[in-house]
Amino acid sequence: MKLYDFAYSPNSRKVRAVAYELGIALEHVHVDILKGASRAPAFLAKNPNGRVPVLEDGDFVLWESNAIIRYLAAKQGTSLVPAGAREQADVDRWLSWQLAYLSPATAKVAFERVVKKLTGQGAPDQAAIDAGTAEFAQCTAVLDAALDGKEYVTGRLSLADFALAAHYHLTPTYGLDLAPHRRVVAWLERMVARSSVQRAYADGLASMQ
């Protein structure tokens, strides 16, 4: 299988971490989104949305990172997706929450503080930073409460943990503060201790050098 991605991005990072966790070998193709490579015609033919990552498995082309990690888990038959209907729904709930709440909040701040600087798009918009920071604090308080008495987001290690950790691991880079959310901090420390997450993180750093 071939993965087209930009290793530093959280959505690419989550796929790499899950693949490493499951022992699935992927051929990686670097797509430099900072230089507009995801808008090239050849890439748009794979994903008309112009976003990474994209997975190719033979003639099957799959985009959307959460769909990709679900696909990898299904091929492997892993415990990262529980067997019961309620337990699966709980994992899907948090995958959806990441897309609907966490990603938009962090993306606002990341764009203003990181992406603009890297791509020369001007000065940060403080109003956008403030809005994203407030949204981040609000949604992270939700996760913090949900982690009460739990080691992992749904009780035991699942795809939801990898999807969320890929975003939370980057929050210090954006200047977002996790300290008020002690359960989230402890959970993230457990996730970052995993060799699969560490490898994905190292890939991301290497891609920026």
Side-chain angles (χ1 to χ4, degrees), residues 66-107:
N66 284 352
I68 293 171
I69 61 174
R70 266 292 209 167
Y71 180 71
L72 294 177
K75 285 181 72 75
Q76 192 75 0
T78 173
S79 62
L80 294 182
V81 178
R86 291 186 179 184
E87 291 79 8
Q88 285 188 31
D90 199 15
V91 171
D92 288 338
R93 180 223 310 268
W94 287 105
L95 293 177
S96 298
W97 181 86
Q98 177 251 298
L99 293 171
Y101 297 98
L102 178 61
S103 293
T106 57

Side-chain angles (χ1 to χ4, degrees), residues 103-136:
S103 293
T106 57
K108 285 180 183 177
V109 181
F111 177 74
E112 297 299 331
R113 285 183 168 157
V114 179
V115 176
K116 276 188 172 181
K117 182 178 180 180
L118 291 174
T119 57
Q121 295 187 55
D125 180 343
Q126 190 59 48
I129 291 173
D130 292 344
T133 300
E135 291 170 16
F136 173 77

